[in-house]
Amino acid sequence: MDGTQDSSLADRARDEVRRRVVDRRYPPGTRLVEREVAVELQMSRVPVREALRSLAAEGLLDTLPRGGARVRRMDRADVIHLYEVWEPLAVQASRLAARRVTEAGGRQPAALGELTRALDDAEAAAAAEDGSAEVAANTRFHAGVVTLAGNPLLSRMMEQLGWQLQFVFGRLHDPATCAPSTP
């Protein structure tokens, strides 16, 4: 197998494990053993090992001293720190997006229409008390703003923070999985 195939498998493993963490198939505190995850994903351990390292770097997993990883438990302080970083980046993305739309004379109706649809979907989900749909719509809205901003570095940073936010938002419906903050 060449390096490209290894990388592709590692990307696929990373994306699937990330989904399982965010949607709680792997709840906070779950120990992920390379061998077991590899069997679940029907691939070898090498791409799974790369995926677990990558997700630890993203802040979704904690690496364990003797191998493997554990789904991160975020406490109140972790959530506060996440928002302290995310918020100014979201504000900057909004500024850049507004500038680009203004400079284009508003000639980006498809992108603006998607933002409007995402907001409408979020409002409808909130009214229906559908937390998952509301989080999905808010995620689409913020991703659309970041795309309109047109800054690839900002986009990469917001994507990484976005996965952590989705992880946190999933906890809103299950507060028992969020460890209390230690003084």
Side-chain angles (χ1 to χ4, degrees):
M1 186 181 294
D2 67 21
T4 305
Q5 289 175 322
D6 285 343
S7 175
S8 175
L9 281 175
D11 290 345
R12 197 178 95 211
R14 182 199 61 228
D15 293 346
E16 183 57 31
V17 172
R18 184 191 292 130
R19 267 191 293 280
R20 291 174 184 210
V21 167
V22 169
D23 72 12
R24 301 293 190 266
R25 282 181 277 173
Y26 295 150
T30 300
R31 184 164 190 261
L32 301 178
V33 178
E34 288 174 12
R35 176 180 24 81
E36 294 169 6
V37 174
V39 168
E40 289 175 24
L41 301 181
Q42 300 177 351
M43 61 178 64
S44 72
R45 290 173 60 177
V46 173
V48 169
R49 183 177 308 126
E50 283 183 49
L52 298 181
R53 285 182 188 150
S54 177
L55 293 171
E58 287 183 17
L60 293 176
L61 303 179
D62 293 320
T63 56
L64 298 174
R66 294 192 177 109
R70 185 176 313 279
V71 177
R72 186 171 176 205
R73 290 185 188 273
M74 294 180 76
D75 63 22
R76 183 181 181 95
D78 292 325
V79 174
I80 290 168
H81 295 152
L82 177 59
Y83 272 98
E84 287 173 343
V85 173
W86 178 84
E87 184 181 31
L89 292 175
V91 169
Q92 181 63 12
S94 298
R95 286 182 183 137
L96 292 171
R99 183 182 312 148
R100 285 190 69 213
V101 168
T102 301
E103 288 170 354
R107 291 184 304 267
Q108 296 181 341
L112 294 175
E114 177 53 36
L115 292 180
T116 301
R117 280 188 296 284
L119 287 175
D120 291 344
D121 291 349
E123 286 180 10
E129 298 184 11
D130 183 349
S132 290
E134 186 177 358
V135 168
N138 278 309
T139 300
R140 273 193 359 257
F141 174 79
H142 287 287
V145 170
V146 170
T147 298
L148 275 173
N151 183 313
L153 177 58
L154 180 63
S155 182
R156 284 191 303 273
M157 293 174 76
M158 291 295 282
E159 179 182 12
Q160 180 178 348
L161 293 173
W163 285 112
Q164 290 185 45
L165 284 170
Q166 287 182 50
F167 182 60
V168 168
F169 284 137
R171 290 179 171 207
L172 293 177
H173 303 290
D174 186 10
T177 64
C178 190
S181 180
T182 53

